[in-house]
Amino acid sequence: MKRGVPYDSWTFFQSLLIIKVVLGVEKHWLPNLEWETAENWIGKRIPELDSYVTFPLDMRHAVGIGKSIDLRLSGIDLPRSGSLVLPSNGKLQFSEAGKSAKKISQWSRSGHLFWADPQNWGGSSIAAPHLEQVPCRQDNIVLPRKNQTFSVLLPMKNIEVKSVRMMDEKQPYKAWQWADMVHSREFEKGIFTVKYVGYSCKECPCQDDPNGYYLEEICAIERPKCGFTPCEYPIWVEGHCCRYCGGRLSLTNKVPLSMVQVLTDEALERYAERLAWHVRPTWNGAIEVLIKKKLDYSEIDILEATEDAKRALQSMKIEVFSTEVTGSAVQDNRMAITLVPFLGMPMIVLLLLFLFFLYFGYSYRHFLLGFSEIFSSIRDGIRVDKTQGSKPFGFARFENSAESNVQIANVANEPNLEDNEADGNDPSSGGRFENPLYRSRRKGRKEDEEVLNMEAPLSLSTLKRKVDNQIEEADLDTDQ
């Protein structure tokens, strides 16, 4: 449809809309619970012959063994709840092969499969709110084929759908046929809450949920998946559990919903690879168009698409009350925000201590001096710990006592005992001995030795040699 078409052609476009608009939306059940599906096993390891199979303890759905009529396993760990569905005339055998790490297969799914989980349904736009991604009262439901396993936990609140059929059937169930499936094993025990709608209402809200109980059941599943909001000014959309990033056009309620749908589809056709859109009736009876980015959020694409849709609708004399765009893209800074309290708290404590000391008459120099001493003590303690860890050392004590079994003999060149007695020294104290842990390599200077002869001629090389000798002796003392 081209822009600038006069309003006089309204009748022609109404007939065109009847041809292009598909009456009713089909929503398909997505989970595949077949044994032969590789995505259902951790590491995509489908059980082989004599494999050991493990199911999660909290697996609460059915698993279908379709093609393997004669399946032989070495062992199996069953869940607390759930079921294995064998084909007609199929059997399951166990061998004595034992449990081998190379032949262990683990089922990847766990828990219930909820009717109220938007990720379990296909056929709607990702721009639709969560409430409208699950079956609405205007939708036709398509379930898996009869030879496939189907397991679902129905919602807690009564909801309505237009029809239900199997994928390999062309005709949907009659209302009474669908009602007879209340005791079917495919539906987990509970109230059979999915009914057929008893009237035709193409522009009614998705479900009759005035108290929001059904929406809350959906949001209990979706809120933990919301994650980071990538736009600057997110908006709230009816029936959506998270903050919405995209564009919105608010329209009058004096135009058919199908008309807005076709005009929007043609206006945004060139954005189909990058954007998704959804036309919906609001809860107060008006119409709105939601536009969302398929991959990473981008304000430019959303802004251009919103303006193009607005011009296309206004060209057909459709009143657009307002348009909204959720602003520029923002980066995920949650990690930095989380670390700010941990990194900023020490600085706040130091600032408070500084103000405390100033209040009681201390100068900032006292504060800095005390802080530097604390830092130095911590640094020295860390250095000592590292030294002790890399070069352990200890102390030794030597004592020459009369009660000891070891006597130290007289050392050469020492005075004898008679001389000690003559000097009044105690002969029982023993003689001096050399500490075996101390080996001095320093050549000591005699008392009468002269450092420099100031009267002799002094050269620079002689002075340098004397200084080097003194430095070497100091280094030897340090090494000891």
Side-chain angles (χ1 to χ4, degrees), residues 190-352:
I191 304 175
F192 197 74
T193 54
V194 180
K195 312 291 184 181
Y196 270 25
V197 65
Y199 52 90
S200 177
C201 184
K202 299 177 183 177
E203 299 187 6
C204 293
C206 178
Q207 293 292 346
D208 184 15
D209 186 31
N211 297 320
Y213 294 145
Y214 185 46
L215 176 60
E216 183 59 32
E217 185 176 354
I218 297 171
C219 290
I221 300 172
E222 282 299 317
R223 282 196 190 103
K225 307 174 187 176
C226 287
F228 174 70
T229 305
C231 58
E232 189 175 7
Y233 305 109
I235 59 177
W236 290 103
V237 175
E238 294 174 342
H240 200 64
C241 304
C242 310
R243 294 187 294 179
Y244 197 93
C245 288
R248 175 164 61 185
L249 293 89
S250 300
L251 313 177
T252 179
N253 57 354
K254 299 179 181 180
V255 62
L257 184 69
S258 56
M259 176 77 172
V260 178
Q261 180 69 61
V262 172
L263 289 173
T264 305
D265 289 345
E266 294 200 356
L268 303 182
E269 184 178 2
R270 66 190 185 97
Y271 299 99
E273 295 183 359
R274 307 191 304 273
L275 301 177
W277 55 89
H278 178 70
V279 179
R280 62 178 297 270
T282 62
W283 295 348
N284 61 3
I287 298 174
E288 69 179 9
V289 180
L290 299 174
I291 304 174
K292 191 173 185 179
K293 195 80 164 57
K294 287 185 177 180
L295 298 177
D296 296 335
Y297 175 80
S298 173
E299 179 190 13
I300 297 177
D301 290 339
I302 299 294
L303 184 60
E304 292 178 354
T306 303
E307 292 298 322
D308 288 349
K310 179 180 179 181
R311 284 193 292 267
L313 294 171
Q314 289 179 339
S315 68
M316 296 303 299
K317 306 301 181 181
I318 298 176
E319 185 177 3
V320 179
F321 289 141
S322 64
T323 60
E324 296 176 84
V325 178
T326 53
S328 58
V330 296
Q331 296 181 350
D332 189 354
N333 296 322
R334 288 177 295 176
M335 181 63 69
I337 295 174
T338 304
L339 293 177
V340 163
F342 297 97
L343 299 179
M345 188 60 67
M347 300 302 298
I348 296 175
V349 172
L350 290 176
L351 179 60
L352 293 176

Side-chain angles (χ1 to χ4, degrees), residues 19-91:
I19 298 175
K20 299 186 74 172
V21 173
V22 179
L23 298 178
V25 177
E26 284 191 344
K27 291 184 179 177
H28 295 251
W29 179 257
L30 298 179
N32 184 315
L33 302 178
E34 297 304 309
W35 183 280
E36 294 81 10
T37 303
E39 287 73 14
N40 289 333
W41 300 95
I42 295 178
K44 298 184 178 181
R45 182 182 295 179
I46 301 176
E48 303 173 357
L49 191 65
D50 296 329
S51 294
Y52 194 95
V53 176
T54 301
F55 291 99
L57 291 177
D58 58 346
M59 186 193 80
R60 302 182 183 275
H61 54 265
V63 177
I65 304 176
K67 299 179 181 178
S68 303
I69 298 178
D70 296 329
L71 183 63
R72 191 177 74 186
L73 302 173
S74 63
I76 185 170
D77 290 339
L78 293 174
R80 294 192 183 99
S81 179
S83 59
L84 291 178
V85 182
L86 293 172
S88 300
N89 301 324
K91 58 183 179 180

